[in-house]
C-alpha cells in the first residue's frame, strides 16, 4: 500500500486486528497485504439458506481509504440476485459517497468515511439473506428467488456444500456466536460426607475445656465477694 497515507495504514491495521477476534471471519494467512485482504466470511445463522457457508472473499482498498470505498468480491461462485458471475457484489454501501439520483440511493445508504470493513461485511451477510431483487446483478437468480424459492434454497445449500471444501485442515467451523458453556465438574458425594465428619460444628474438646475454666473463675470470684461482705459485717 505504497501510496496510502500513514493514517490509512493505521486504520486498516486496527480494523483487521478487531476482525481477527470475530468468529465469523477467518484470515487464513497471518501475513496479510494491507491493500488486499483475503479471508473467509462464514454464515452462522440457522435461518439462512446459506447457513454453514465458508465463503472465501477478497477486499481491495484504495490509497485514499477511507474516503473512497473498498472493493469486495467472493472467490467462489454464488448464485444470488446481487452477485455477479465473477463474484463482484452489487451493494449500496460500497458505492461512492453522495446521493445518486440515477439509482435512487440516498447518501446514507452509500459509502462514507464513517463506515468500516466490519460494517461492510455485516451488510454483505444481511444481503445474502435479504437480497435486493429490484435491481439485480443476476436476473435469473432474482426471478428464481421471487418465484421458485425452494429451488433457490436448494442451489444455496449446494453452494454451501461446495464452499466447505475450502475449509483449511484443522479449522473448526463455528456454529454459534456464543462461546461454549463451561463443562460441569463431577463432584464426589463421598467428599462431602468425609468433610462433615472431619468438621464437627457442634464444638470441640478444647472449647469445652475453655468453658470449664471460665466457670471455675466465676466461682472463685463469687467466693471472694462473699468473704468481703462478711468482713464488712
Amino acid at each position: 500500500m505504497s501510496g496510502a497515507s500513514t493514517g490509512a495504514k493505521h486504520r486498516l491495521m486496527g480494523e483487521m486486528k478487531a476482525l481477527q477476534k470475530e468468529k465469523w471471519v477467518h484470515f487464513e494467512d497471518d501475513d496479510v497485504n494491507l491493500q488486499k485482504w483475503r479471508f473467509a466470511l462464514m454464515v452462522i445463522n440457522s435461518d439462512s439458506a446459506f447457513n454453514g457457508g465458508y465463503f472465501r472473499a477478497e477486499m481491495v482498498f484504495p490509497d485514499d481509504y477511507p474516503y473512497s470505498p473498498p472493493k469486495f468480491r467472493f472467490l467462489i461462485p454464488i448464485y444470488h440476485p446481487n452477485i455477479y458471475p465473477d463474484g463482484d457484489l452489487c451493494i449500496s454501501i460500497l458505492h461512492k459517497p453522495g446521493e445518486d439520483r440515477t439509482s435512487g440511493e440516498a447518501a446514507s445508504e452509500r459509502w462514507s468515511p464513517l463506515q468500516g470493513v466490519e460494517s461492510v461485511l455485516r451488510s454483505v451477510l444481511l444481503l445474502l439473506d435479504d437480497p435486493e431483487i429490484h435491481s439485480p446483478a443476476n436476473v435469473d437468480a432474482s426471478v428464481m428467488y421471487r418465484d421458485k424459492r425452494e429451488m433457490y434454497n436448494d442451489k444455496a445449500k449446494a453452494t454451501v456444500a461446495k464452499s466447505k471444501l475450502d475449509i483449511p485442515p484443522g479449522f473448526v467451523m463455528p456454529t454459534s456466536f456464543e462461546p461454549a458453556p463451561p463443562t460441569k465438574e463431577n463432584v464426589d458425594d463421598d467428599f462431602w460426607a468425609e468433610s462433615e465428619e472431619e468438621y464437627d460444628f457442634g464444638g470441640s474438646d478444647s472449647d469445652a475445656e475453655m468453658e470449664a475454666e471460665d466457670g471455675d473463675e466465676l466461682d472463685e470470684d463469687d467466693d471472694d465477694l462473699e468473704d468481703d461482705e462478711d468482713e464488712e459485717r
Side-chain angles (χ1 to χ4, degrees), residues 66-83:
Y67 299 102
S68 294
K71 294 180 179 180
F72 177 99
R73 73 183 183 97
F74 285 106
L75 299 179
I76 178 176
I78 299 178
Y79 192 79
H80 186 278
N82 305 116
I83 301 176

Side-chain angles (χ1 to χ4, degrees), residues 83-100:
I83 301 176
Y84 292 99
D86 63 355
D88 282 349
L89 190 68
C90 181
I91 187 171
S92 299
I93 196 174
L94 292 179
H95 294 165
K96 292 182 178 180
E99 185 176 347
D100 185 355

Side-chain angles (χ1 to χ4, degrees), residues 15-232:
E15 293 195 57
M16 180 184 293
K17 185 177 181 180
L19 281 170
Q20 286 173 332
K21 299 177 182 179
E22 296 290 344
K23 297 178 66 174
W24 48 278
V25 182
H26 181 225
F27 289 88
E28 298 176 3
D29 190 356
D30 293 334
D31 185 19
V32 182
N33 185 331
L34 275 181
Q35 188 172 4
K36 182 185 288 186
W37 294 10
R38 286 201 169 184
F39 53 89
L41 191 62
M42 288 165 280
V43 180
I44 312 173
N45 177 8
S46 58
D47 296 327
S48 173
F50 293 97
N51 182 45
Y54 183 91
F55 300 130
R56 297 181 67 247
E58 176 184 87
M59 290 188 78
V60 179
F61 299 89
D63 290 339
D64 62 345
Y65 179 83
Y67 299 102
S68 294
K71 294 180 179 180
F72 177 99
R73 73 183 183 97
F74 285 106
L75 299 179
I76 178 176
I78 299 178
Y79 192 79
H80 186 278
N82 305 116
I83 301 176
Y84 292 99
D86 63 355
D88 282 349
L89 190 68
C90 181
I91 187 171
S92 299
I93 196 174
L94 292 179
H95 294 165
K96 292 182 178 180
E99 185 176 347
D100 185 355
R101 295 181 180 179
T102 303
S103 65
E105 292 177 347
S108 60
E109 299 175 310
R110 296 162 69 91
W111 178 261
S112 80
L114 298 178
Q115 304 285 6
V117 180
E118 182 174 345
S119 59
V120 170
L121 298 185
R122 289 186 181 276
S123 296
V124 171
L125 289 176
L126 289 174
L127 188 68
L128 283 177
D129 294 336
D130 188 17
E132 175 53 65
I133 62 174
H134 299 295
S135 55
N138 185 328
V139 177
D140 292 339
S142 178
V143 173
M144 184 180 291
Y145 178 85
R146 184 190 64 193
D147 299 335
K148 300 178 180 179
R149 186 68 58 85
E150 186 174 348
M151 185 181 297
Y152 174 86
N153 289 341
D154 288 340
K155 277 186 169 290
K157 292 177 181 177
T159 301
V160 169
K162 185 177 180 180
S163 75
K164 290 182 177 181
L165 299 176
D166 291 329
I167 298 176
F171 179 77
V172 179
M173 279 284 291
T175 57
S176 170
F177 289 105
E178 300 296 330
T183 56
K184 183 178 180 181
E185 295 183 0
N186 293 325
V187 180
D188 188 355
D189 293 337
D190 293 337
F191 170 81
W192 295 110
E194 293 174 359
S195 300
E196 291 175 357
E197 292 177 0
E198 292 176 0
Y199 299 100
D200 183 6
F201 294 103
S204 64
D205 294 338
S206 58
D207 291 338
E209 293 176 356
M210 291 179 64
E211 290 177 0
E213 291 177 356
D214 291 341
D216 292 341
E217 291 178 356
L218 289 174
D219 292 339
E220 292 178 358
D221 291 340
D222 290 341
D223 293 340
D224 292 340
L225 181 60
E226 290 178 359
D227 292 339
D228 291 340
E229 290 178 351
D230 291 339
E231 290 178 359
E232 289 179 359

